Amino acid sequence: MRQNKVYSALGLATRAGKTESGEFATEKAVKSGKASLAVVAEDASENTKKMFANMCAYYKVPYIIYGTKGELGHAIGKEYRASLAVTDAGFAKMIRQQLPSEEIGGNEEV
């Protein structure tokens, strides 16, 4: 049930124009300070997961490893997505509230 709420929130954020998807766009959003939350797929490569974990820690952006590439892509109405950034603090907070705090990495204060 909670899983559906996370995907629903990602879909709402996308329809509101508050997400950036794809590795390059997510990286740009994190580095520019626009990202309030980064989401990386569980089946993304270890290199991708490590890169986003390090980048989010450095730029103090919370991140989660959640879902598969197919599920993330489907939630935002696109093809497979290994990563995406939520650029709105309200949507990021809504998503974070659906997850146990131990699943969230990076900076806890947003």
Side-chain angles (χ1 to χ4, degrees):
M1 186 67 172
R2 287 188 173 267
Q3 189 175 32
N4 293 337
K5 289 183 180 182
V6 171
Y7 293 135
S8 294
L10 287 172
L12 282 172
T14 301
R15 286 190 291 280
K18 302 296 182 183
T19 61
E20 299 287 334
S21 67
E23 191 169 328
F24 179 75
T26 304
E27 183 176 344
K28 185 177 175 185
V30 169
K31 289 183 175 179
S32 68
K34 290 182 182 179
S36 296
L37 177 68
V39 182
V40 181
E42 293 170 351
D43 59 347
S45 72
E46 291 303 316
N47 198 26
T48 298
K49 289 189 230 179
K50 183 178 178 187
M51 180 191 72
F52 278 108
N54 291 339
M55 184 189 325
C56 290
Y58 181 80
Y59 289 98
K60 298 184 178 11
V61 174
Y63 72 96
I64 58 172
I65 296 176
Y66 191 81
T68 65
K69 292 184 224 180
E71 291 168 342
L72 290 179
H74 181 73
I76 63 172
K78 299 195 186 285
E79 289 287 321
Y80 298 105
R81 288 295 186 260
S83 62
L84 60 93
V86 178
T87 58
D88 181 77
F91 282 116
K93 184 178 179 183
M94 183 190 321
I95 292 165
R96 289 174 63 194
Q97 287 175 341
Q98 302 302 318
L99 301 168
S101 60
E102 58 270 4
E103 288 189 22
I104 301 168
N107 185 14
E108 296 298 321
E109 298 176 24
V110 171

